[in-house]
Amino acid sequence: MIKMPEREKCKANKTGSIYQIDDLKLLLPWLIVFLFTVFSGAIRKWGVNSNMVGNVFLGIQLMIPLFLLFQQRHIVSHFYYKPVFQLYLFFLVFLAIHPLNLTLGHGVLGFFLYSSVWIILYAYLKVRKQLPIENLDIIVGVVLIIELIMSNLQYYLPENHILNIYATGAESSAGVGDAVRATGTFSYLGGLQGFVIFWGFFSWYTLIRYKNIWIISFVVIGGIVCTLFTGSRGAVLQYLILLFIGMVSSGFLSKYFLKILGVFTFIGISYFFFPNFFVFDVVSESSENFEERYDSGVESGEMNRRIESQYLGAFYYHGDHPIFGVGLGSTYQGAIAVFGISSYVANYGYFEDEGERIVIEGGYTLYFFRLIIFILFLSALYMPAWSKVLIFVLFSNAVLTFNIYIAIFFAFGLIWVDRAYYLNKQSSSNIQRNNLNAA
């Protein structure tokens, strides 16, 4: 499952010694982080009854990006903007020990929340040329299949079924049409929505790396269906945009037009002879339920309010500390549950959007610094510039800070896509080199 070719040499570290790293050693930490993120929520939800043990799992989840960085501590960084990233981390430390924060515990949790995405990407950029992440595709495929089956079961089972019970013991209250929104399959409450973001990136990756139309069809169509099971309008939109980017940037429609036509012909014939086949019923019902929820949101004005608040939420801030906020983690539910709530946060009143919460905790200084870091990391990735712009617009104010699952799945999704473009670039360079040698 994980190939082990010849050992490769990495650059010398500052002491001048050479590090030999094989695929297994390099891949294992990434596999551990990915699988832990996938399954830790399920363990918290169905495997343990102790709140303390559940909190331990959440604590590990928050800190696990540092594990990746620790594994590559001796490898020289290739990130051009490393000094800016280090400054960002120092700034987070300053905000973590903010004198207005209620406890240091809030700040520590906040530091992990605000740094997780960027630490993972930074760790990846250090080993990008040596990390054969594509060797984990089979494992990812197995996870996709299990996730699709589990979310389908949740969707049709009653709200009080064990698969739909929240970790708190409460029944699922999230519905879409006559079904139950599959909001927490592997990764706790909102984890499935985070996972389908990864699925969107992985579909993009598949469109670039694979030529087998049936593999591509399973990944793409399975992702659409699983995203519909969430009933999340944002998740569906994000998945479809990522799929669109992948199709355009890979030239998929023009390259595989006849194969695509063959797949649709096969589906059409299958539907004609087996119209009651359960797969067709599942796709039809989940689509109708989603459409009903979408139309309801448009008619009530909820959709417009959500879109507006997502991008303008930071400018709804009405507190007294707009420059440096009142401390990292001060609005984080986990920190509040364990350490209590700051009077500054309690007196602020209602808040919900990611941008507004960032300004409350770190002021506009943190809000714009975070956007700059986002741009710098995107600039370091191998993908078309126009696609980077779309990703920035789509995710700049998504819940990448306060939902650790979405943050990690987002980072891993970018890594898989970047690896696809890197391999394509290497392949093109090798072809050009061979042509020159032949000439």
Side-chain angles (χ1 to χ4, degrees):
M1 191 171 293
I2 299 177
K3 299 178 182 178
M4 295 182 62
E6 295 182 3
R7 297 160 69 92
E8 296 181 58
K9 290 185 178 181
C10 286
K11 282 192 174 183
N13 69 353
K14 293 180 180 178
T15 62
S17 60
I18 299 294
Y19 288 90
Q20 302 281 348
I21 302 178
D22 61 38
D23 284 355
L24 181 59
K25 286 181 180 179
L26 207 57
L27 279 172
L28 190 58
W30 296 89
L31 178 62
I32 290 172
V33 173
F34 178 76
L35 292 182
F36 185 86
T37 305
V38 166
F39 290 107
S40 67
I43 295 172
R44 291 177 64 198
K45 186 175 179 180
W46 299 309
V48 299
N49 295 319
S50 168
N51 288 334
M52 183 179 70
V53 176
N55 289 335
V56 169
F57 271 88
L58 179 58
I60 295 173
Q61 187 71 70
L62 290 170
M63 293 185 292
I64 206 166
L66 290 178
F67 167 68
L68 289 176
L69 193 60
F70 178 78
Q71 289 293 316
Q72 277 105 49
R73 64 192 183 280
H74 298 305
I75 301 173
V76 176
S77 170
H78 300 288
F79 184 42
Y80 183 76
Y81 302 106
K82 179 180 177 181
V84 183
F85 176 56
Q86 291 175 327
L87 179 62
Y88 176 74
L89 294 181
F90 281 125
F91 184 59
L92 291 183
V93 172
F94 164 74
L95 294 178
I97 58 176
H98 199 301
L100 298 182
N101 216 342
L102 182 63
T103 70
L104 182 60
H106 288 80
V108 171
L109 290 178
F111 176 85
F112 291 129
L113 289 170
Y114 281 91
S115 62
S116 58
V117 171
W118 320 119
I119 285 178
I120 292 173
L121 291 176
Y122 177 69
Y124 163 71
L125 290 173
K126 294 180 74 172
V127 293
R128 172 164 54 187
K129 295 181 179 179
Q130 293 84 25
L131 184 69
I133 200 77
E134 66 277 4
N135 288 349
L136 302 181
D137 286 358
I138 295 177
I139 297 177
V140 173
V142 172
V143 171
L144 297 186
I145 293 171
I146 298 174
E147 185 70 84
L148 188 59
I149 294 172
M150 289 288 290
S151 58
N152 177 255
L153 290 175
Q154 285 186 305
Y155 193 74
Y156 288 103
L157 288 171
E159 296 174 349
N160 59 357
H161 192 276
I162 186 172
L163 293 184
N164 283 323
I165 295 293
Y166 291 148
T168 59
E171 297 180 7
S172 173
S173 58
V176 52
D178 297 327
V180 177
R181 293 177 61 189
T183 55
T185 303
F186 284 158
S187 299
Y188 203 41
L189 300 179
L192 182 58
Q193 295 179 38
F195 186 80
V196 295
I197 289 175
F198 169 79
W199 202 325
F201 279 110
F202 193 77
S203 295
W204 179 357
Y205 163 86
T206 303
L207 290 166
I208 297 173
R209 289 291 300 162
Y210 286 87
K211 296 181 180 179
N212 187 308
I213 193 63
W214 299 109
I215 293 177
I216 295 172
S217 297
F218 164 74
V219 173
V220 170
I221 298 174
I224 292 173
V225 174
C226 192
T227 306
L228 289 173
F229 287 153
T230 69
S232 168
R233 292 156 296 195
V236 171
L237 176 65
Q238 289 166 340
Y239 181 88
L240 292 179
I241 291 178
L242 290 173
L243 183 60
F244 167 78
I245 296 173
M247 285 188 170
V248 173
S249 61
S250 65
F252 174 74
L253 295 178
S254 59
K255 289 180 182 177
Y256 300 101
F257 177 77
L258 292 179
K259 291 184 178 180
I260 297 170
L261 186 62
V263 170
F264 278 103
T265 301
F266 173 79
I267 294 174
I269 294 173
S270 300
Y271 182 74
F272 179 79
F273 286 103
F274 308 102
N276 296 322
F277 187 51
F278 79 96
V279 171
F280 297 122
D281 289 338
V282 167
V283 174
S284 176
E285 185 172 349
S286 60
S287 300
E288 291 174 1
N289 287 339
F290 176 80
E291 185 178 356
E292 179 183 331
R293 185 166 188 264
Y294 177 84
D295 291 340
S296 175
V298 172
E299 291 173 5
S300 66
E302 179 195 5
M303 286 284 292
N304 290 335
R305 289 195 299 271
R306 281 182 173 270
I307 294 174
E308 178 186 342
S309 62
Q310 178 179 349
Y311 290 100
L312 299 179
F315 304 100
Y316 291 164
Y317 177 79
H318 54 270
D320 299 323
H321 305 279
I323 306 301
F324 295 114
V326 297
L328 295 189
S330 56
T331 70
Y332 181 52
Q333 295 91 327
I336 291 174
V338 177
F339 304 112
I341 185 170
S342 163
S343 60
Y344 298 101
V345 175
N347 293 333
Y348 182 85
Y350 178 78
F351 54 83
E352 181 180 12
D353 300 298
E354 174 103 345
E356 186 176 13
R357 292 178 66 181
I358 291 172
V359 178
I360 293 173
E361 296 194 3
Y364 284 107
T365 308
L366 176 60
Y367 178 76
F368 288 108
F369 202 166
R370 175 181 173 276
L371 294 182
I372 291 171
I373 289 295
F374 197 166
I375 293 171
L376 295 184
F377 271 99
L378 283 177
S379 70
L381 300 179
Y382 292 115
M383 58 183 67
W386 63 269
S387 67
K388 296 179 183 180
V389 173
L390 286 180
I391 291 173
F392 178 79
V393 172
L394 192 60
F395 292 102
S396 59
N397 278 332
V399 190
L400 297 180
T401 298
F402 298 103
N403 188 314
I404 188 63
Y405 299 106
I406 292 179
I408 293 177
F409 284 137
F410 173 78
F412 270 75
L414 281 177
I415 287 169
W416 248 274
V417 171
D418 179 76
R419 180 66 179 175
Y421 282 105
Y422 173 76
L423 291 175
N424 278 4
K425 180 181 178 182
Q426 294 300 108
S427 177
S428 298
S429 298
N430 290 336
I431 291 174
Q432 291 177 359
R433 191 179 301 112
N434 291 336
N435 290 339
L436 289 174
N437 291 336

